[in-house]
Amino acid sequence: MIFFQILVFSLFYMMKKILWFDVETTGVDSDRHGIIQFAAIVEIDGELVDTLEIKMQPHQGALISEDALVVNGVSREEIQGFMPHDEAYGKIDSFLAQYVSRFDRKDKFYPAGYNVQFDLDFLNKMFRRYDQYGIGSFVNWKRIDLLPLLYYMDYLDKIALENYKLQTVCAHFGVELNSAHDAMSDIKATREVMRCIEGYM
């Protein structure tokens, strides 16, 4: 019985956990702007196990760029109707804590996305407003980012696109992108593009 428990425990921590995620924001500066949409897909050992999508108010004091409103197709009035920022943070924190232990350095997500450092910077700033460890309680910082992979494929002459915007890349690979600059639509498409890229590896 003890051997079985040890085996199950070992297998649990051998599992590869990926947090595919995307944020939509009120601008491009994580020090001045805030998150208004968060979407995530939890993948464990290649299987999609859960998703979360939240439209939220930015944190108090965040600047809202008019350009960002145009890109995201929302108004200031609509944003005021989104989930309060504190409540949104609590939901994201609880969601992540279901799948990794914030206290175990070996049990963390690989953060994944499209130009994911941008999203990671915003998410980390959000978490640091509540927790000194930031998003580091849940991710291992070993980023899985499609954009540099695509650039390298370009270098190897395996792909050559007019640009490497997500919309252009999705069109090339025949991946459906229902609504660009919608966080859940973007991250679902990003995960599907990764499956296509894996065929080149």
Side-chain angles (χ1 to χ4, degrees):
M1 181 65 178
I2 294 176
F3 173 78
F4 177 75
Q5 290 174 334
I6 293 174
L7 178 62
V8 170
F9 181 83
S10 299
L11 288 173
F12 178 78
Y13 284 102
M14 286 172 62
M15 291 189 293
K16 295 291 188 179
K17 301 177 183 181
I18 301 177
L19 181 69
W20 295 93
F21 74 100
D22 186 67
V23 299
E24 299 300 330
T25 64
T26 63
V28 297
D29 186 343
S30 61
D31 288 324
R32 300 188 304 138
H33 302 117
I35 299 172
I36 55 172
Q37 187 184 13
F38 171 85
I41 298 171
V42 171
E43 177 182 320
I44 300 179
D45 284 344
E47 297 296 325
L48 190 160
V49 298
D50 207 350
T51 63
L52 178 68
E53 180 179 11
I54 296 175
K55 290 188 176 182
M56 70 182 80
Q57 298 171 16
H59 63 278
Q60 188 173 6
L63 300 180
I64 300 178
S65 160
E66 292 299 326
D67 289 343
L69 294 177
V70 173
V71 168
N72 290 298
V74 296
S75 66
R76 294 173 186 270
E77 291 73 25
E78 287 175 304
I79 290 173
Q80 288 305 309
F82 291 170
M83 183 181 293
H85 191 79
D86 289 357
E87 183 181 347
Y89 163 76
K91 284 187 176 293
I92 296 170
D93 183 83
S94 297
F95 175 77
L96 300 179
Q98 292 180 70
Y99 300 102
V100 299
S101 169
R102 73 177 75 236
F103 305 111
D104 188 337
R105 292 183 179 179
K106 295 181 180 179
D107 183 31
K108 302 297 177 212
F109 286 114
Y110 286 80
Y114 201 88
N115 192 26
V116 73
Q117 186 62 55
F118 174 89
D119 306 273
L120 201 54
D121 286 345
F122 271 91
L123 195 61
N124 191 43
K125 290 285 174 63
M126 176 185 180
F127 268 72
R128 279 194 175 276
R129 294 186 192 99
Y130 300 91
D131 176 355
Q132 64 174 323
Y133 300 106
I135 195 62
S137 296
F138 296 110
V139 303
N140 61 16
W141 303 105
K142 299 172 184 177
R143 302 183 302 277
I144 299 173
D145 194 336
L146 274 65
L147 191 56
L149 291 176
L150 289 162
Y151 288 157
Y152 188 57
M153 287 172 63
D154 185 297
Y155 167 75
L156 295 175
D157 294 325
K158 293 182 178 293
I159 188 174
L161 303 182
E162 179 183 356
N163 60 62
Y164 287 90
K165 296 178 181 178
L166 182 58
Q167 299 97 308
T168 306
V169 172
C170 286
H172 173 79
F173 286 107
V175 171
E176 185 176 2
L177 180 59
N178 292 325
S179 179
H181 299 295
D182 172 81
M184 182 55 79
S185 179
D186 285 357
I187 202 58
K188 284 181 176 179
T190 297
R191 185 170 178 264
E192 288 303 312
V193 169
M194 185 61 183
R195 298 294 172 261
C196 297
I197 292 176
E198 287 171 353
Y200 288 83
M201 296 179 178

